[in-house]
Amino acid sequence: MRLAGVVLILGLLQGCFGAPSIDDTMDEYTTRLSRVLDKPLVDERSPSTQPLNPTLKLPSQTYPSLTELGNNVTALNINIREFYAIQDCELGRIVAERNTALGKTQLPSQRLGYEHRVLKALANCETTLQGAQDPIAATVASWRKQKQAQYQSVWANVVQTSTEMRLGLSMAASPLQASENKDANASINALNFINGLAGTSIVKEVVEVQPEAKRKADGNSSGDSGINGDSGNNDDNSVAGVPEYDSRELEQQLQIIASSRLPAKLWQTQAILHNRLVELNQALAPALNDVHCENGKTSDKATILRNVFYLYFIEEIQPIASTLNSYHYQLQPLWEQWSKNTALSAPFKAHIHTHAVENFTLYSDAMKAHVVLWQDFLGRCNLSPTAP
């Protein structure tokens, strides 16, 4: 009974000095159980009794190299004659930006913003040239279609290769906590914001979106050439079906992802829990079977074991697992969308699938096995998992 009191006091003292990491908690949990059972529960087993399930890798160990992830996006091939022909459009200035030193070294997020501006400028320029019945309009239309087809690849480069996303998806600074996970909810919103940018590349055919410009060019309506023609389907912040794009918002959302690193934290934590519990379960099952509760009568050792289980697993480990599960299910629809996106590379999708599907299942199984193990023991000894 004295040992049970010591365990309780130690558990209360931990709350005064901040929450320990999941590894520290598992160490303490295993150590306490070993002392009560008077036998080692980890490390001192023969190779034949090592865990049957493979050790789960951390997300930092499985993230693909940049050479496996980057999409090659072909630049527009514009000759001098064509370049001078589009000087009256904003497109000419935007294309020229790409040839500067800064334009050639754009970060993935900056390149996405640039491509978005190019798409809008192409749509405007095409409309202008069509209104003036300039034959180069057909060339600009072909450029627009080329950039539309490439946009998803540019977006995929942000998701797969930007520093912020790589940190968020692979480099957890620390495991998850039961609470006070910095920017966690904001990170979920940020990831969905990034996902939403994949759909901003939809640009309708200009002759369909800008019918007013076509009528003016044909002489069916008085006025100018229709440079700013309005289809009636777009607001003031949209041109040819391309929504307004705020590059500052993208950078802010990426910073939130890098700060929180939520996916990496989830995957690191579930790997730690799986690896530690699988090992513990294999040693603890026979050890608990050796604790006798004759005719269902509770023994002092059984009571102390129940107290250790409650103070460490129920009070500290399960809340972390509950938080992990909550964030996992909030992110699950996003991972499913990315698994079907053809612009994202196979190695990237394999990284997501490994941690968000396969490893989550293995972690969940290890947690369930540990709970069942204790349910059987407590039931046999006529104990309930309540506070000591």
Side-chain angles (χ1 to χ4, degrees), residues 63 66 159-171:
Y63 201 79
L66 292 181
V159 173
Q160 300 179 139
T161 68
S162 64
T163 299
E164 297 87 353
M165 288 297 294
R166 285 188 288 122
L167 289 173
L169 294 170
S170 67
M171 301 294 292

Side-chain angles (χ1 to χ4, degrees), residues 88-133:
D88 290 339
C89 301
E90 183 190 12
L91 178 63
R93 179 179 60 80
I94 295 176
V95 170
E97 285 180 18
R98 180 67 177 157
N99 293 321
T100 65
L102 288 176
K104 292 178 180 178
T105 57
Q106 291 171 326
L107 296 173
S109 57
Q110 294 170 332
R111 180 65 186 274
L112 184 68
Y114 173 81
E115 293 293 320
H116 197 275
R117 290 169 57 209
V118 168
L119 270 170
K120 293 181 72 173
L122 282 166
N124 275 334
C125 193
E126 184 181 349
T127 301
T128 301
L129 294 169
Q130 281 184 342
Q133 297 185 344

Side-chain angles (χ1 to χ4, degrees), residues 287-304:
L288 289 180
N289 285 335
D290 290 340
V291 177
H292 299 293
C293 295
E294 298 295 340
N295 301 318
K297 184 179 179 181
T298 299
S299 66
D300 288 346
K301 179 179 281 192
T303 300
I304 297 172

